Amino acid sequence: MLSAGQVHDSKMAIALLEEVDIQGSNVIGDKGYCSKAIRTYINERGANSVIAPKKPVEAENSIDWHSYKEHHLIECFFNNNETI
């Protein structure tokens, strides 16, 4: 999905997730995707939210840090300058 340059990627997250069956999956995202709405959407569909918490919500958003460390693979996929 493409959005205007001034629109934050997180604004498109739920619309993008609606396009795939996420049940039973780990949905991994960085701090920019740490919103209650996104995490609730993921959890209500039977998936596991693996999104790094922003400081104010750390207490209510515990994640599997081992799985979260794999998010760099996604970033490497889009960045041709790095190797996996």
Side-chain angles (χ1 to χ4, degrees):
M1 297 182 115
L2 294 176
S3 62
Q6 72 276 16
V7 175
H8 192 275
D9 294 340
S10 66
K11 299 293 184 188
M12 305 298 288
I14 292 176
L16 182 61
L17 290 171
E18 288 174 338
E19 299 296 320
V20 294
D21 179 13
I22 62 172
Q23 185 175 3
S25 300
N26 286 329
V27 178
I28 302 173
D30 64 17
K31 292 178 184 183
Y33 295 92
C34 183
S35 76
K36 189 170 187 170
I38 293 172
R39 289 183 283 115
T40 299
Y41 179 88
I42 292 167
N43 294 330
E44 286 179 348
R45 278 142 189 86
N48 185 31
S49 171
V50 185
I51 300 174
K54 293 180 183 176
K55 294 291 182 189
V57 295
E58 268 185 323
E60 67 181 66
N61 186 20
S62 61
I63 69 168
D64 176 358
W65 288 104
H66 180 73
S67 294
Y68 178 73
K69 290 179 182 178
E70 300 301 321
H71 84 280
H72 79 279
L73 295 173
I74 298 164
E75 293 175 11
C76 290
F77 177 79
F78 289 102
N79 185 350
N80 292 331
N81 297 324
E82 293 186 42
T83 57
I84 298 176

